[in-house]
């Protein structure tokens, strides 16, 4: 199909077929319409033929009668009569009801096959000028005649009747040719419907092919524009429109109501030429659209566009010059006085116009409307500018986003304020980027250093383990090995926590979200830590609803969160107190809360406790790295949750919030 679209020969053949099918559509449609108008689909051939001949006779009457009764009627000479099947008589209708023969065109003894009558009226105005009215049928004639008789402007009103006759169709005249063509139309009335439908479908298919192939040329990958496609589109439209109208007028001027087959051929040629021109025009339009769209391909190629751009350039220069002087004037005014100066200028101008046009009320109203529109436009402009600047400030203050305000339509202090705000937001953005860069560097440093420490630490742990397996006899040696084993394990856990905290805070930990039932996880946690809490003298109280609460979370990370929080409680809770683990649903969120009474006074804020390496006891006598709460918060955030820590005296409370599903 691509090769076919690029083939010049295929396009030429398609255009020829398009013209042929278009002419066929026109001719077959004309046959169908003509047959329908004269009733060929619901009349017998005899009725249809007689009606056709009668219409032809009426047409001959219209072509031959003369409005001026003082002139001699058109007389057929003997030679003309031999070449015609048409005859007519003219009668003047007397007021008494009698008829006076004015013109006799039908010879006595001539046989006729059709007769029809038309009427017309001739009168004079009182100033002597002639008045003629016609042609009518009988009922219309008598109605108009009665109306004219009642009108005193007319005098000498005369009525005429024209009787037209058709002789047996022997001579080759207009009536004969119309009868022959009508006979062909009657015979082809059903065939024409089929031909019209088929030819129209083929015409549309060929037209679609030509449109799709427009701009394609063999050997060219991109859309190719011919010399016609490079012409200004409005000039091409003018040329094509003029040529198309000439072709249509030429064709239809010969073909419409024609009684000769050769005239119909001429009409077909005119139609084919119009279709050819229209096809080239549509293909050019399609190629331009494919090349650059309507704006670049069509509109910008027009002479009107170039003229408009030339005029617009001068208009812009004029506005620019006016704006320059206005800007210079306002430049030396303080910013707070400029709006007031504009308002005062409008008030003074209103006063002057009211004084000098005290008697022209309409002009006053017009000017007042214009001045108020200008004042309203200025107010709306200022409000729009303030809104734009306010939105930029809101982005900076609320979200810390970069604020790049478009200052194209801002002027004076408003533009300066917008630029200053953009500079502030850029400074904040740079600071945030530097902070993030520093955070990433710190995370990478911790990860790398921890990795370097773990290598010798692993060797220490392994050798301590080997020495313990040797079972030394010296008790001091056993005590030293036990200390080394315990401290190396603590150091290894500290390094693991440090690496995990860094990864969790930077968001580099993989998270596999899946359905997780919080009630089951809480029961597992209670069962796991029931014995450990009993050893510390703590009573664990679990509260949860009967309904299932499911969330999307990573089970491994959720268990680490619960483990860190429960270990934190075991380390710092006051013995002999209760620990509360509650689960509830609030709105569409699942809330898990951990509450306990602290063993020692909490002299730090909740925000400080969530920082790394911060522990509840400032003396740091308890074991722990101070990373448990920070890791729990980072893991909660990674799973689209929220962790809130609150301290009320010695009451320590952590609340986890997740969306339910």
């Amino acid at each position: 199909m691509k090769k076919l679209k690029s083939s010049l020969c295929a396009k030429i053949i398609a255009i020829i077929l398009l013209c042929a099918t278009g002419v066929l559509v026109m001719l077959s449609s004309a046959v169908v319409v003509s047959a329908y108008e004269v009733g060929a689909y619901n009349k017998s051939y005899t009725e249809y033929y007689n009606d056709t001949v009668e219409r032809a006779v009426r047409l001959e009457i219209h072509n031959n009668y003369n409005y001026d009764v003082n002139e001699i009627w058109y007389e057929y000479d003997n030679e003309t009569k031999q070449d015609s099947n048409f005859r007519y008589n003219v009668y003047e209708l007397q007021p008494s009801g009698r008829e006076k023969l004015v013109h006799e065109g039908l010879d006595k003894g001539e046989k006729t096959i059709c007769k029809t009558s038309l009427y017309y009226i001739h009168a004079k105005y009182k100033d002597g000028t002639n008045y003629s009215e016609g042609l009518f049928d009988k009922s219309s004639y008598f109605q108009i005649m009665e109306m004219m008789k009642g009108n005193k402007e007319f005098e000498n009103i005369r009525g005429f009747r024209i009787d037209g006759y058709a002789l047996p169709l022997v001579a080759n005249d207009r009536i004969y040719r119309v009868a022959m063509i009508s006979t062909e139309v009657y015979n082809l009335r059903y065939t024409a419907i089929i031909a019209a439908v088929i030819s129209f479908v083929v015409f549309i298919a060929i037209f679609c092919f030509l449109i799709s192939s427009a701009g394609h040329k063999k050997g060219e990958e991109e859309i190719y524009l011919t010399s016609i496609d490079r012409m200004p589109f409005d000039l091409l439209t003018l040329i094509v429109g003029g040529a198309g109208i000439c072709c249509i007028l030429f064709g239809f001027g010969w073909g419409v109501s024609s009684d000769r087959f050769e005239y119909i051929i001429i009409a077909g040629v005119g139609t084919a030429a119009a279709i050819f021109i229209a096809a080239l025009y549509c293909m050019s339009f399609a190629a331009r659209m494919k090349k650059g769209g309507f704006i670049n391909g069509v509109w910008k190629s027009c002479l009107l566009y170039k003229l408009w751009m030339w005029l617009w350039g001068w208009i812009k220069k004029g506005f620019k010059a006016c704006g320059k002087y206005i800007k210079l004037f306002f430049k030396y005014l303080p910013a707070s006085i400029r709006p007031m100066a504009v308002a005062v200028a409008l008030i003074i101008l209103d006063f002057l116009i009211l004084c000098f046009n005290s008697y022209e009320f309409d002009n006053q109203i017009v000017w007042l409307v214009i001045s108020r529109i200008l004042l309203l436009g200025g107010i709306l402009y200022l409000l729009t500018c303030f809104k734009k600047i306010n939105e930029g400030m809101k982005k900076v203050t609320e979200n810390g986003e970069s604020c790049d305000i478009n200052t194209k339509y801002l002027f004076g202090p408003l533009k300066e304020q917008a630029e200053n705000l953009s500079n502030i937001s850029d400074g904040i953005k740079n600071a945030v980027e530097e902070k993030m860069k520093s955070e990433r560097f710190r995370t990478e440093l911790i990860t790398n250093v921890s990795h370097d420490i773990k290598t010798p630490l692993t060797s220490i742990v392994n050798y301590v383990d080997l020495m313990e397996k040797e079972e030394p006899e010296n008790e001091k040696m056993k005590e030293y090995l036990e200390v080394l084993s315990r401290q190396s394990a603590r150091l290894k856990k500290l390094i693991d926590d440090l690496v995990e905290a860094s990864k969790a805070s930077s968001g580099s930990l993989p998270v596999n979200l899946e359905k997780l039932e919080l009630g089951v996880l809480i029961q597992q946690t209670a069962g796991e830590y029931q014995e450990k809490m009993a050893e510390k003298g703590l009573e664990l109280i679990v509260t949860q609803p009967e309904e299932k609460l499911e969330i999307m979370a990573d089970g491994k990370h959720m268990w680490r969160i619960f483990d860190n929080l429960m270990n934190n409680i075991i380390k710092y809770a006051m013995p002999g107190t209760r620990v509360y683990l509650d689960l509830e649903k609030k709105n569409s969120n699942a809330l898990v809360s951990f509450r306990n009474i602290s063993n020692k006074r909490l002299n730090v804020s909740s925000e400080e406790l969530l920082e790394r390496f911060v522990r509840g006891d400032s003396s740091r006598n308890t074991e722990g790295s101070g990373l448990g709460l920070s890791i729990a918060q980072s893991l909660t955030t990674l799973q689209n949750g929220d962790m809130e820590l609150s301290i009320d005296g010695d009451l320590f409370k952590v609340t986890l919030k997740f969306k339910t599903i």
Side-chain angles (χ1 to χ4, degrees):
M1 190 63 182
K2 186 176 180 180
K3 292 182 178 179
L4 195 62
K5 289 181 180 180
S6 304
S7 174
L8 178 61
C9 182
K11 294 179 183 179
I12 294 174
I13 294 173
I15 291 176
I16 294 173
L17 292 176
L18 185 75
C19 295
T21 52
V23 172
L24 184 58
V25 170
M26 185 272 295
L27 293 177
S28 56
S29 299
V31 170
V32 173
V33 172
S34 300
Y36 178 78
E37 287 182 348
V38 298
Y41 292 102
N42 54 13
K43 291 181 181 179
S44 65
Y45 176 73
T46 302
E47 294 175 334
Y48 169 77
Y49 183 81
N50 292 335
D51 290 344
T52 301
V53 174
E54 183 179 347
R55 283 194 303 273
V57 172
R58 283 175 174 264
L59 179 61
E60 290 296 328
I61 294 175
H62 278 276
N63 292 335
N64 288 280
Y65 92 100
N66 196 320
Y67 281 109
D68 192 353
V69 297
N70 294 322
E71 294 186 3
I72 301 174
W73 282 87
Y74 180 83
E75 294 283 358
Y76 289 99
D77 55 21
N78 293 331
E79 185 178 353
T80 303
K81 283 187 175 183
Q82 290 177 358
D83 296 334
S84 175
N85 298 309
F86 173 68
R87 303 286 188 273
Y88 66 91
N89 294 337
V90 181
Y91 299 88
E92 183 176 355
L93 305 180
Q94 304 294 330
S96 61
R98 298 180 62 185
E99 300 176 351
K100 178 183 176 182
L101 182 61
V102 177
H103 171 78
E104 185 176 11
L106 179 66
D107 297 336
K108 293 181 180 181
E110 284 186 316
K111 185 179 179 182
T112 62
I113 62 173
C114 177
K115 175 187 175 183
T116 185
S117 299
L118 293 174
Y119 297 79
Y120 80 95
I121 301 172
H122 186 274
K124 285 184 178 295
Y125 289 103
K126 289 186 177 181
D127 60 0
T129 56
N130 293 329
Y131 171 82
S132 296
E133 187 76 24
L135 298 162
F136 315 107
D137 56 18
K138 187 174 182 179
S139 60
S140 299
Y141 164 77
F142 284 108
Q143 291 177 3
I144 296 174
M145 180 63 77
E146 290 297 327
M147 292 173 58
M148 292 183 67
K149 286 181 179 179
N151 193 335
K152 296 181 180 181
E153 294 182 2
F154 296 103
E155 60 184 15
N156 194 21
I157 302 173
R158 303 167 64 188
F160 297 87
R161 187 184 77 240
I162 304 174
D163 293 339
Y165 305 91
L167 304 181
L169 303 181
V170 178
N172 186 12
D173 65 346
R174 191 195 307 269
I175 298 176
Y176 172 80
R177 291 190 294 269
V178 169
M180 294 300 102
I181 292 175
S182 299
T183 300
E184 293 298 328
V185 169
Y186 188 85
N187 294 332
L188 296 174
R189 63 191 187 282
Y190 294 112
T191 305
I193 296 176
I194 300 174
V197 173
I198 295 175
S199 57
F200 180 75
V201 172
V202 175
F203 178 87
I204 294 299
I206 297 174
F207 180 78
C208 293
F209 167 76
L210 289 174
I211 294 300
S212 63
S213 65
H216 294 282
K217 183 182 179 182
K218 189 175 181 180
E220 296 286 342
E221 292 294 333
E222 297 183 354
I223 299 299
Y224 177 79
L225 298 180
T226 63
S227 56
I228 296 177
D229 301 333
R230 296 188 183 95
M231 288 179 61
F233 188 72
D234 49 355
L235 179 61
L236 177 65
T237 302
L238 187 63
I239 295 173
V240 169
I245 291 173
C246 290
C247 292
I248 293 173
L249 292 178
F250 173 77
F252 278 83
W254 286 92
V256 173
S257 300
S258 176
D259 58 348
R260 292 182 181 273
F261 285 102
E262 54 268 26
Y263 292 165
I264 298 176
I265 294 175
I266 294 175
V269 172
T271 303
I275 293 173
F276 174 75
I277 294 172
L280 293 181
Y281 178 78
C282 293
M283 291 178 67
S284 176
F285 179 79
R288 294 167 192 258
M289 290 292 291
K290 294 177 184 178
K291 184 71 174 179
F294 180 78
I295 299 299
N296 296 323
V298 179
W299 170 237
K300 288 188 177 181
S301 69
C302 294
L303 294 177
L304 289 176
Y305 171 77
K306 296 176 182 178
L307 177 62
W308 164 249
M309 292 304 296
W310 181 76
L311 292 175
W312 179 243
W314 283 100
I315 293 172
K316 285 174 65 177
K317 288 181 180 179
F319 279 113
K320 189 174 181 181
C322 294
K324 179 180 179 182
Y325 291 111
I326 294 173
K327 184 177 180 181
L328 288 175
F329 172 76
F330 279 96
K331 182 178 180 180
Y332 297 100
L333 289 177
S336 58
I337 300 179
R338 292 175 189 176
M340 187 183 298
V342 175
V344 170
L346 286 174
I347 292 172
I348 294 173
L349 196 56
D350 289 346
F351 177 76
L352 293 175
I353 289 178
L354 291 174
C355 290
F356 289 102
N357 295 278
S358 58
Y359 298 104
E360 298 180 6
F361 183 74
D362 293 340
N363 294 338
Q364 297 173 14
I365 294 297
V366 171
W367 167 248
L368 288 175
V369 170
I370 293 175
S371 65
R372 295 306 177 264
I373 291 175
L374 293 175
L375 185 60
L376 179 61
I379 295 173
L380 291 176
Y381 169 74
L382 291 175
L383 291 176
T384 303
C385 295
F386 288 140
K387 180 181 179 183
K388 186 183 294 186
I389 295 173
N390 186 46
E391 289 177 352
M393 295 178 64
K394 189 175 181 180
K395 287 183 180 179
V396 175
T397 56
E398 291 185 357
N399 305 323
E401 298 180 6
S402 176
C403 173
D404 187 12
I405 301 176
N406 186 7
T407 60
K408 183 177 179 181
Y409 301 105
L410 300 181
F411 302 96
L414 295 174
K415 185 176 182 179
E416 295 177 3
Q417 185 177 0
E419 290 176 348
N420 293 334
L421 184 60
S422 298
N423 294 333
I424 292 174
S425 66
D426 291 339
I428 295 174
K429 181 181 178 182
N430 294 332
V432 171
E433 289 179 353
E434 288 294 330
K435 183 178 179 181
M436 294 298 296
K437 183 178 179 181
S438 175
E439 186 70 21
R440 288 193 298 269
F441 176 75
R442 184 170 64 178
T443 300
E444 293 176 359
L445 178 63
I446 291 173
T447 303
N448 294 333
V449 171
S450 299
H451 178 74
D452 293 339
I453 294 175
K454 285 178 68 176
T455 302
L457 180 61
T458 303
S459 299
I460 292 173
V461 171
N462 292 336
Y463 279 108
V464 168
D465 183 59
L466 291 174
M467 292 174 69
E468 287 178 342
K469 291 180 179 179
E470 292 294 333
E471 296 182 359
E473 296 179 357
N474 190 339
E475 293 297 329
K476 286 289 184 181
M477 183 65 68
K478 290 182 180 180
E479 183 179 349
Y480 296 155
L481 289 176
E482 183 180 352
V483 172
L484 282 174
S485 177
R486 184 174 64 255
Q487 295 299 331
S488 60
R490 180 182 177 186
L491 180 59
K492 185 175 183 301
K493 187 177 186 308
L494 174 62
I495 294 172
D496 291 339
D497 289 346
L498 184 60
V499 173
E500 186 172 9
S502 299
K503 289 182 178 181
S505 62
S506 62
S508 59
L509 276 178
V511 178
N512 182 24
L513 298 179
E514 56 185 4
K515 285 185 178 181
L516 180 66
E517 187 179 344
L518 284 175
V520 175
L521 182 60
I522 287 176
Q523 291 297 329
Q524 291 176 353
T525 304
E528 180 75 20
Y529 287 91
Q530 189 74 42
E531 185 177 349
K532 295 180 180 180
M533 288 194 171
E535 293 176 358
K536 293 287 185 177
L538 301 174
E539 181 183 357
L540 179 60
I541 300 176
V542 179
T543 305
Q544 64 182 84
E546 295 181 358
E547 63 173 323
K548 292 183 179 180
L549 294 181
E550 293 183 337
I551 62 171
M552 294 299 295
D554 189 317
K556 178 181 177 182
H557 294 328
M558 286 297 295
W559 175 253
R560 181 61 190 273
I561 294 171
F562 278 55
D563 182 60
N564 284 4
L565 295 177
M566 295 300 289
N567 282 325
N568 189 72
I569 290 173
I570 292 173
K571 289 178 184 177
Y572 299 109
M574 178 181 290
T577 60
R578 297 183 181 89
V579 176
Y580 295 91
L581 178 55
D582 301 327
L583 172 63
E584 63 175 332
K585 183 178 181 181
K586 188 174 183 181
N587 297 330
S588 59
N589 298 317
L591 302 180
V592 182
S593 60
F594 299 79
R595 290 180 296 167
N596 68 281
I597 301 299
S598 177
N599 186 23
K600 295 184 179 181
R601 179 185 176 188
L602 295 174
N603 55 1
V604 293
S605 64
S606 58
E607 290 80 8
E608 290 176 322
L609 280 176
L610 289 173
E611 294 181 2
R612 300 178 192 173
F613 308 109
V614 175
R615 299 199 306 221
D617 59 328
S618 57
S619 63
R620 305 181 71 87
N621 291 325
T622 59
E623 292 187 1
S625 59
L627 295 172
L629 294 177
S630 176
I631 292 174
Q633 185 187 38
S634 299
L635 292 177
T636 303
T637 304
L638 282 177
Q639 299 175 88
N640 304 319
D642 186 28
M643 175 175 164
E644 181 181 353
L645 190 150
S646 61
I647 298 174
D648 187 3
D650 293 335
L651 176 64
F652 182 84
K653 181 181 179 181
V654 176
T655 303
L656 304 177
K657 181 170 70 174
F658 292 92
K659 284 282 185 181
T660 58
I661 56 175

